[in-house]
Amino acid sequence: MKTAHTAKAYTTAALAAILALGTALPAFSADTLTVFDWSGYEDPAFHPAYTEKHGGSPEFSFFGDEEEAFQKLRSGFKADVAHPCSQSVVKWREAGLLEPLDTAKLTAWNDILPNFKAMKNLMTSDDGTAWFIPFEWGNTVLTYRTDTVKPEEIASLKAFADPKFKDRVSIGDNVDDAYALASLAIGLKDWTTMTDAQFAEASAFLREVHKNVRLYWTDNTDLSQALASGEVDLAWAWNETATTLQAESQPVAIKKDTKEGLSTWVCGYARLKGAEASPDLAYDYLNAVTDPAVAAYMVESWGYGHSNAKGMAAVDPKILADKGYADVDAFVANTLFQSPMPTELRQKMIAEFEKIKSGY
């Protein structure tokens, strides 16, 4: 899911400026590539080959979550490349928002990790048409302050609904991560098989969690500040959160061994239909972000895995071990993978989550 995802060095003022840019129409012409993305992914360290070739970065415009991005694109917002995650690819494709990819122009296409290649309806549709190239992957996982929460208090994900954590909890304002948590809490590892009864049970769990929520976070800056200040003690967060806070010597850790497990997601890039920039610019960008040279920075500084198998293999083994990527099979064990789901089910989740957040 997920990405998703903000750079650790932003100040509040800088973030406000970025969000202001995200609400403006981007410069949009045939010689300017516009990337519609999660805040933080404009980091030049993710696309050095593009910068070197073109003398600078693309233009960026930002969204807070994929549903916001979807609705904005449906309303006519123009961009060339976008950054959806696994659970949204089918919906975006079926809505006619995506342009097929020419894999002959993607230098890393054959080097993408095998688990992603094998996922149904992710990189390609049933007819073999390519639509999406993965970029980053990671977990949404229980994250907590080690000075105020004892590990034995959070042996289960049901801790998020425990009254002892009232007003001390934060989960993302993100329907996919929310229902990943709820699905795991009710014992469901494959949300594509969710029944009506399980949907009702998962939604009831989120209503209990809502009673404890202090903050529905929208990006890593919000959540990191809340954890660092002690405003919240327990969060359902991406790997990035603990990685950035630990680098600042904050007493924060992740707990991957809860009884019910954790969630794993993969995000990446797609070309948008109606793009006005030269396709060559789009492919230069897609090749830059999937370059194996980017993997080490992705793992060490953001705590995420990179999609290029050759890049991951070249990362310092100690860093891979520290970040939990030394054994990919172990990384995704006891996990709910945020795989593409039926569009109808996702629409139900979106509608219900809005009710839950409103207290209904």
Side-chain angles (χ1 to χ4, degrees), residues 46-350:
F46 283 146
H47 54 263
Y50 186 96
T51 301
E52 181 178 354
K53 183 172 182 178
H54 297 285
S57 295
E59 297 287 336
F60 284 86
S61 189
F62 303 101
F63 54 83
D65 63 36
E66 289 154 277
E67 185 60 18
E68 175 195 333
F70 177 81
Q71 295 300 338
K72 198 168 181 179
L73 290 169
R74 284 282 295 268
S75 299
F77 180 80
K78 291 291 186 181
D80 303 300
V81 171
H83 192 170
C85 298
S86 48
Q87 63 278 3
S88 298
V89 173
V90 173
K91 179 180 177 179
W92 287 33
R93 191 180 75 221
E94 290 179 347
L97 298 180
L98 304 185
E99 189 74 23
L101 295 173
D102 181 351
T103 59
K105 295 181 179 179
L106 293 168
T107 55
W109 182 260
N110 293 325
D111 296 327
I112 299 300
L113 287 162
N115 286 0
F116 302 152
K117 290 181 184 177
M119 191 180 295
K120 182 177 174 61
N121 274 323
L122 182 65
M123 294 173 66
T124 61
S125 48
D126 288 339
D127 63 2
T129 304
W131 300 93
F132 173 86
I133 186 163
F135 173 47
E136 88 282 28
W137 53 288
N139 297 130
T140 310
V141 61
L142 191 154
T143 304
Y144 66 104
R145 284 188 62 100
T146 57
D147 58 341
T148 56
V149 180
K150 298 181 176 64
E152 57 268 26
E153 294 179 294
I154 50 173
S156 167
L157 293 179
K158 291 181 180 177
F160 282 99
D162 190 327
K164 76 169 66 173
F165 292 113
K166 183 171 175 57
D167 295 330
R168 296 168 61 194
V169 164
S170 183
I171 68 172
D173 190 359
N174 177 315
V175 66
D176 303 301
D177 281 337
Y179 271 93
L181 170 62
S183 298
L184 285 164
I186 68 169
L188 181 64
K189 289 291 199 299
D190 181 0
W191 63 9
T192 67
T193 67
M194 182 180 282
T195 65
D196 288 345
Q198 288 170 327
F199 176 77
E201 186 181 359
S203 299
F205 175 77
L206 288 177
R207 284 186 167 85
E208 292 302 308
V209 174
H210 176 76
K211 297 175 183 178
N212 290 345
V213 169
R214 174 85 173 190
L215 166 73
Y216 284 100
W217 59 269
T218 56
D219 60 45
N220 184 57
T221 300
D222 291 342
L223 179 57
S224 293
Q225 290 175 348
L227 280 165
S229 68
E231 182 181 359
V232 299
D233 298 327
L234 183 63
W236 185 237
W238 301 319
N239 310 68
E240 177 191 359
T241 302
T243 298
T244 55
L245 288 173
Q246 288 168 357
E248 298 166 4
S249 300
Q250 293 287 344
V252 172
I254 61 176
K255 187 169 176 60
K256 290 189 174 184
D257 61 349
T258 58
K259 182 174 68 173
E260 300 87 358
L262 66 168
S263 181
T264 301
W265 45 261
V266 55
C267 302
Y269 286 95
R271 292 185 62 210
L272 294 171
K273 187 163 288 187
E276 296 181 11
S278 162
D280 290 340
L281 290 177
Y283 285 107
D284 284 347
Y285 184 74
L286 298 181
N287 290 332
V289 295
T290 55
D291 189 305
V294 173
Y297 175 73
M298 173 73 79
V299 175
E300 185 169 10
S301 296
W302 284 56
Y304 298 144
H306 192 251
S307 63
N308 191 306
K310 290 181 178 178
M312 290 295 285
V315 177
D316 184 326
K318 183 180 184 306
I319 293 174
L320 285 177
D322 288 346
K323 303 300 182 183
Y325 292 95
D327 183 340
V328 173
D329 290 336
F331 186 92
V332 299
N334 199 27
T335 191
L336 178 147
F337 212 109
Q338 292 189 22
S339 56
M341 69 172 72
T343 300
E344 181 182 354
L345 174 60
R346 192 159 191 275
Q347 290 303 112
K348 280 176 59 178
M349 290 178 176
I350 290 167

